[in-house]
Amino acid sequence: MDYSSLLNDKQLAAVSTRAQYARVIAGAGSGKTRVLTYRISYLISEMNVDPNKIVAIAFTNKVAAEMKERALKLLNGVGRGLTVSTFHSWCAKFLRKEIDVLGFPNNFTIMDDEDTEKLIKDIGVDLGYKRNDDVVKYAIGFIAANKCKGLYPENILIDDYSLEKVKTAAKFFHIYEERKDKMLSLDFDDLLLKTIQILEEFPDIRAKWQSRIEHILIDEFQDTNDVQFKLVKLLMNDTTNLYVVGDPDQTIYTWRGANQNIILQFNKTFPLAETLILDRNYRSTKVILDHANKLISHNKKRVPKDLYTESEIGDPVKVECSKTRDMEAYYVANEIENIIRKYPNTSYRNIAILYRAAYLTLPFENEFMRRKIPYQIYGGIKFFQRKEIKDILAYFRLIYNHSDDLSFERIVNVPRRGIGDSTMDELKAEKEAENLSYFDYLDEIEKHKTNVKPKNIIALTALISKIKETKAKLDENLEAYPKILEDFIRELGYFEYLSSDDENAEERLQNVKSLFDDIVDFLRKNPESSFESYLENASLQTSQDEIKNGDVVSMMTIHVAKGLEFDHVFVISMIDGVFPSRRTEDESGQDGLEEERRLAYVAFTRAKKHLYITTNSSYSFVLQENSTTSRFIDEAGLKIPNKGLYQPKPKPTFSSFGYFEDEVPKPSYSQEPPKPTDNGIKDWKVGDVAIHEVFGRGIVTGIIDGTILQIDFDTHGKKSILASHPKVRKEEKGATA
């Protein structure tokens, strides 16, 4: 293969380097994945490295699968045995082989974030708290934060001077680990931590795996955390080659543990490391890159570089400030329709709406629905997090792990079997007294003295028998597991149960059908796989793994958009306090502001042809003040040409439920919408005395958007009242109520 004809000079240097330790700083759109893929191909085809000796790490399952597929295509199938996976997936496979040295079975269940949260809330209930009490929420965060640092309960110092909530959270942590172990389950953090434990405590196993791996390649290295980097170093010996690709300017996950210093100080960790910079962008126009470069240049913690492109200069970035959120949504919808009309070869799938926080989408969703613009939100409720999918996967998990009490509790009465809370409380007490899981206790219920009603025992033992029967069929391996599993779910009555949900029945049934389609597709792509492999894959899904290529406008947070690209990108609601996030600044100061700026940089560089920046000046209930334009707009060298003037022309027939007519109103930049005149008062001021027919006399303490009065009433306290409400009037000076 002639690599020099397929890569630019800097890409070729990065692909062909002979350095033992290499850091590739790859700017947005510079061909990062291409370089990493070609590097794998180069190692095998030009340096004669055994594919079995290569481990490449990506940060999502989607990217890992694409990278492996591309590499094998370049190698014409020669790369059999090549490993490309996420950290969690690699560790899961490692633990299936090695975890027995910790006295743990290799048929463990992998708990996802929702499972973890439910278990902690269950512990809270057992300790006398309500599921949503602040102490329970604090415990969830406490456990997550400590495990992200690689700490278990026994590693945390709790003394008499610790805050009471910390002591309580530590108690939660101890119980959480005990119950999880008893259920033969691992959470996401355990996958890494147990792997590290084995490598540290068993030198022979560490040496064995070090000898198996000659080259480690890591994508998105800027998002690596301390635990992951510790794992990487444990897998290395003096001869291991480490090749990392990333961009410090795109470090946007420090809030979940990413340590930017790992990539910034790589050459200090490995003094012989070579640094190669990829700064030619193949994605965006020159105009978009110039504004992105200007924005990110305000950051101090970075490896200096300016992206450049040899493609077209491109159209100016459009910036729009609307007076209200609804007008902002109107503007965006209007521009989308203009794009579809103006560019015949453009479809909705080429358009993305990016935002800092998920709560910003509602006015845009409303406007898109009214205009019949197809859209899909990504990063909301993921497919594998939907109730019906979680139910079915819980059944499947029980087939392989009879100790999984969390899954049992989820499905014990789904479909309904007449098992109430009192029955579950009794059953829980009895099985814990015998130190057994629900499944194992019920499987030998005849050996125990029980207070559970006979009719409930019949229903529960029938469930246990059906699960065991299905497990036996799967073990026989006489037919494809998708059919066995579909029959299992059908015989449980789950399809009938879903059909009884009149409102959402069709959608939920379609989701279940999609699950079985996915199982069949997995089997087709992995003919030698077991169903346990599929369950593992399902447990490790991320938001990007669900992004399909339907003809819809994609709506997603910027974090989900990382690594993606679109012809036309709208970055919406760029409001100070929202983006940059006030909370992030308050919690992390200058470091937080730099991360917010990196996030904006990522958002801008998702755009290939056109970038739109929108904001609004309406009152924000989140910020508790009128919105102001994000400082990032100015830092990027952008100007707002008509700030606050964008107004859609009112329709002649309008109701509170929306427009009656189908056509879309044309924008007007001058006409003000009619103001409410129900009480005829247009000049409310803070300090005015208001008289309400029901609440009596009060003082106006605040005015929101000129529309809502915040009034402190003498006898009814503080209330928010519509400024035009017919029941409120202004007390004239000198008058008495």
Side-chain angles (χ1 to χ4, degrees), residues 62 236 284 316 364 432 469 522 526 619:
K62 179 183 175 73
M236 297 174 63
S284 306
F364 298 88
E432 288 184 350
E469 176 188 324
F522 182 85
N526 305 274
Y619 182 86

Side-chain angles (χ1 to χ4, degrees), residues 273-286:
E274 179 182 6
T275 294
L276 305 106
I277 295 178
L278 306 180
D279 51 7
R280 179 180 174 183
N281 178 283
Y282 289 88
R283 177 188 299 154
S284 306
T285 64
K286 183 179 185 303

Side-chain angles (χ1 to χ4, degrees), residues 414-670:
V414 181
R416 295 176 184 85
R417 298 183 177 90
I419 312 298
D421 291 343
S422 59
T423 299
M424 284 303 295
D425 290 343
E426 184 64 45
L427 190 60
K428 183 176 183 179
E430 292 178 5
K431 67 99 178 176
E432 288 184 350
E434 299 292 336
N435 198 30
L436 293 171
S437 67
Y438 287 113
F439 189 103
D440 291 334
Y441 181 77
L442 288 166
D443 193 31
E444 53 180 39
I445 189 70
E446 70 279 357
K447 298 180 182 179
H448 305 288
K449 183 178 180 180
T450 178
N451 293 318
V452 178
K453 295 178 181 178
K455 67 173 184 177
N456 290 333
I457 291 177
I458 292 172
L460 291 169
T461 52
L463 171 62
I464 299 301
S465 297
K466 180 58 65 178
I467 292 173
K468 291 173 66 177
E469 176 188 324
T470 304
K471 175 69 163 62
K473 289 181 179 178
L474 290 168
D475 288 344
E476 288 175 353
N477 198 27
L478 297 178
E479 57 181 316
Y481 55 73
K483 177 60 177 171
I484 296 173
L485 296 166
E486 184 182 9
D487 289 344
F488 170 56
I489 294 301
R490 192 176 302 280
E491 289 165 11
L492 288 170
Y494 195 84
F495 286 108
E496 293 177 13
Y497 160 73
L498 286 184
S499 299
S500 66
D501 181 0
D502 294 335
E503 185 177 354
N504 301 307
E506 188 60 32
E507 179 182 351
R508 296 176 70 188
L509 284 167
Q510 288 297 330
N511 287 337
V512 173
K513 291 175 183 177
S514 294
L515 175 66
F516 281 99
D517 285 342
D518 194 56
I519 294 171
V520 171
D521 189 57
F522 182 85
L523 180 60
R524 180 179 60 80
K525 293 178 180 177
N526 305 274
E528 303 301 320
S529 68
S530 67
F531 185 61
E532 288 174 281
S533 300
Y534 178 83
L535 283 180
E536 188 170 286
N537 182 68
S539 297
L540 297 169
Q541 294 298 307
T542 67
S543 300
Q544 281 196 12
D545 291 315
E546 294 186 35
I547 295 180
K548 309 299 182 185
N549 293 319
D551 192 17
V552 295
V553 173
S554 298
M555 300 181 67
M556 63 188 75
T557 64
I558 300 164
H559 286 98
V560 173
K562 177 76 165 60
L564 304 178
E565 59 183 36
F566 302 88
D567 286 347
H568 316 276
V569 170
F570 293 81
V571 185
I572 63 170
S573 298
M574 289 203 69
I575 296 165
D576 240 36
V578 174
F579 197 9
S581 162
R582 179 172 298 168
R583 177 179 176 182
T584 300
E585 281 195 84
D586 289 345
E587 291 178 352
S588 305
Q590 184 62 29
D591 285 346
L593 179 60
E594 289 210 359
E595 175 136 352
E596 290 292 301
R597 195 176 283 116
R598 292 193 294 268
L599 198 58
Y601 175 80
V602 167
F604 288 10
T605 54
R606 298 312 94 197
K608 295 167 67 176
K609 296 179 180 177
H610 296 103
L611 176 62
Y612 300 78
I613 308 296
T614 70
T615 181
N616 67 74
S617 56
S618 64
Y619 182 86
S620 168
F621 285 92
V622 175
L623 301 176
Q624 291 292 300
E625 64 187 27
N626 286 320
S627 301
T628 56
T629 303
S630 170
R631 73 195 79 170
F632 291 161
I633 294 177
D634 182 62
E635 288 180 359
L638 295 165
K639 303 297 180 185
I640 299 175
N642 54 338
K643 186 174 180 180
L645 296 179
Y646 190 86
Q647 302 276 355
K649 186 176 180 180
K651 291 292 292 181
T653 53
F654 181 85
S655 77
S656 60
F657 298 100
Y659 295 100
F660 289 124
E661 299 174 17
D662 289 334
E663 77 265 26
V664 177
K666 305 299 182 187
S668 166
Y669 292 88
S670 59

Side-chain angles (χ1 to χ4, degrees), residues 75-94:
L75 292 162
N76 293 319
V78 173
R80 188 176 298 276
L82 171 67
T83 296
V84 185
S85 70
T86 64
F87 275 113
H88 291 96
S89 294
W90 189 89
C91 288
K93 290 178 173 61
F94 172 91

Side-chain angles (χ1 to χ4, degrees), residues 71-72 90 93 134 238 257 307 320 359 367 415 442 460 503 509 528 538 599 684 708 712:
L72 292 177
W90 189 89
K93 290 178 173 61
D134 288 342
D238 292 341
L307 294 179
E320 186 63 54
Y359 71 82
E367 187 66 23
L442 288 166
L460 291 169
E503 185 177 354
L509 284 167
E528 303 301 320
L599 198 58
W684 287 102
I708 298 173
D712 189 356

Side-chain angles (χ1 to χ4, degrees), residues 307-472:
L307 294 179
Y308 74 94
T309 181
E310 295 182 4
S311 64
E312 59 182 324
I313 294 176
D315 294 333
V317 174
K318 287 190 176 182
V319 184
E320 186 63 54
C321 179
S322 303
K323 196 164 187 178
T324 68
R325 287 177 291 275
D326 289 341
M327 292 173 181
E328 182 185 4
Y330 178 93
Y331 168 81
V332 170
N334 216 51
E335 288 298 318
I336 288 174
E337 291 183 339
N338 288 339
I339 288 169
I340 297 299
R341 283 194 293 266
K342 186 175 180 180
Y343 304 101
N345 295 325
T346 294
S347 57
Y348 290 114
R349 70 169 60 91
N350 303 128
I351 302 171
I353 312 292
L354 307 183
Y355 37 84
R356 178 63 182 86
Y359 71 82
L360 298 167
T361 65
L362 183 57
F364 298 88
E365 292 185 68
N366 289 340
E367 187 66 23
F368 292 168
M369 286 189 287
R370 189 178 69 77
R371 303 246 197 145
K372 297 181 175 60
I373 294 175
Y375 72 93
Q376 183 165 346
I377 293 180
Y378 298 100
I381 298 179
K382 306 171 190 175
F383 179 84
F384 285 96
Q385 297 297 325
R386 292 168 189 168
K387 180 185 182 302
E388 57 273 17
I389 304 302
K390 291 279 289 182
D391 288 346
I392 291 177
L393 290 179
Y395 273 114
F396 292 165
R397 284 157 55 165
L398 272 173
I399 293 173
Y400 286 101
N401 182 1
H402 296 168
S403 297
D404 189 348
D405 282 352
L406 209 61
S407 290
F408 184 90
E409 289 176 351
R410 181 180 186 93
I411 55 83
V412 65
N413 208 35
V414 181
R416 295 176 184 85
R417 298 183 177 90
I419 312 298
D421 291 343
S422 59
T423 299
M424 284 303 295
D425 290 343
E426 184 64 45
L427 190 60
K428 183 176 183 179
E430 292 178 5
K431 67 99 178 176
E432 288 184 350
E434 299 292 336
N435 198 30
L436 293 171
S437 67
Y438 287 113
F439 189 103
D440 291 334
Y441 181 77
L442 288 166
D443 193 31
E444 53 180 39
I445 189 70
E446 70 279 357
K447 298 180 182 179
H448 305 288
K449 183 178 180 180
T450 178
N451 293 318
V452 178
K453 295 178 181 178
K455 67 173 184 177
N456 290 333
I457 291 177
I458 292 172
L460 291 169
T461 52
L463 171 62
I464 299 301
S465 297
K466 180 58 65 178
I467 292 173
K468 291 173 66 177
E469 176 188 324
T470 304
K471 175 69 163 62

